[in-house]
Amino acid sequence: MSDGTPADLFFDAAIGLLQRVRDEEAEAITAAGTLLADTVAAGGRLFAFGAGHSSLAAQDVVYRAGGLALMNLLAVPGVVGVDVTPATLGSALERVDGLASAVLDTSPVRAGDALVIISLSGRNALPVEMARGARALGVKVIGVTSVAYATETKSRHASGTFLKDHCDIVLDSKIAVGDAELTLDTIPAPFAPASTVVTTALMQAVLATTAATLADRGIEPPLLRSGNVDGGHEWNSRVMTEYGDRIFYRH
């Protein structure tokens, strides 16, 4: 590791990755944002899924001030985040065959909807099966993943394929295998992961594109406002009432 504090070096690494994603994934970001806008305009519903820490980027776009009210979390019990005990259970569940199919079969996801699947490695059974199952239902799938894993690791799904192989659009986060940006001679393992920073930024870039695309078509994007600004609750109540049949995180 070169000169500079660890904090400086992490910021440099994260900024470098963000610049790469902005420049190299611009076309895919536009395509993904347009796909979501097409779905909204056609009356479809939007869903996001991620397992483990990949779920953070999915949760970041659900019920979010400044975000699209129509984005719903497709939750898999025991997999969304590290709130289960033991936390390692989530990692184990990602490798269970059949779990994604059971979730899809009992979820509101249907033909004409769009699903964003976030998985850094894209190699486990859960995201692969989720993507395959969703597309079989007639759902458009956007995958957010590190394509490097497909060339540097082996799939854990019986098909030998990765998430990227079952998507309508793939967004490559450019994260290196192992998800750790820094090394020091005094520390035996690489450290300082940047996948959450980059993946979250990718998701927000896509949804910003979606909102602007809808507006360009003369459709008011169903955005939420902060409940901590005057009039925010009233605004959100109107949006949720208008689009209540496409919002699944409220009663």
Side-chain angles (χ1 to χ4, degrees):
M1 198 162 70
S2 58
D3 293 340
T5 68
D8 288 340
L9 292 169
F10 176 76
F11 280 121
D12 288 343
I15 290 167
L17 284 163
L18 289 169
Q19 289 175 329
R20 281 192 65 196
V21 167
R22 181 189 63 187
D23 297 339
E24 297 173 21
E25 297 301 296
E27 185 175 337
I29 290 168
T30 298
T34 303
L35 186 156
L36 295 183
D38 290 343
T39 303
V40 172
R45 295 87 59 82
L46 309 180
F47 296 87
F49 165 76
H53 287 92
S54 290
S55 73
L56 295 174
Q59 294 178 62
D60 189 59
V61 294
V62 176
Y63 188 49
R64 184 65 191 262
L68 285 176
L70 303 190
M71 184 61 77
N72 300 280
L73 186 68
L74 183 61
V76 178
V79 172
V80 182
V82 292
D83 57 337
V84 294
T85 303
T88 50
L89 174 62
S91 297
L93 290 174
E94 287 186 65
R95 299 191 290 272
V96 173
D97 293 327
L99 180 56
S101 296
V103 169
L104 285 171
D105 288 346
T106 56
S107 78
V109 177
R110 67 188 184 194
D113 293 344
L115 170 62
V116 183
I117 300 177
I118 305 165
S119 174
L120 179 61
S121 73
R123 69 189 296 223
N124 288 309
L126 187 55
V128 173
E129 187 181 310
M130 184 78 74
R132 292 177 66 175
R135 292 183 88 188
L137 291 173
V139 174
K140 295 293 186 181
V141 174
I142 297 169
V144 184
T145 188
S146 170
V147 173
Y149 277 84
T151 57
E152 299 180 38
T153 68
K154 292 182 179 180
S155 170
R156 289 180 174 144
H157 188 260
S159 67
T161 60
F162 289 75
L163 168 61
K164 73 173 187 64
D165 300 316
H166 307 285
C167 299
D168 295 281
I169 298 169
V170 175
L171 297 171
D172 184 3
S173 64
K174 316 292 181 182
I175 300 295
V177 173
D179 191 19
E181 294 299 321
L182 304 184
T183 57
L184 274 177
D185 292 341
T186 54
I187 299 177
F191 60 104
S195 62
T196 303
V197 173
V198 177
T199 305
T200 301
L202 260 174
M203 290 294 294
Q204 292 296 350
V206 168
L207 291 183
T209 303
T210 300
T213 301
L214 287 169
D216 286 343
R217 298 178 186 179
I219 302 171
E220 180 187 333
L223 297 169
L224 295 174
R225 289 178 179 262
S226 171
N228 296 313
V229 300
D230 292 342
H233 287 299
E234 291 78 12
W235 173 281
N236 292 342
S237 179
R238 175 184 66 81
V239 171
M240 289 187 178
T241 297
E242 183 176 350
Y243 291 94
D245 60 334
R246 292 195 258 176
I247 298 172
F248 299 97
Y249 51 81
R250 65 187 294 270
H251 294 296

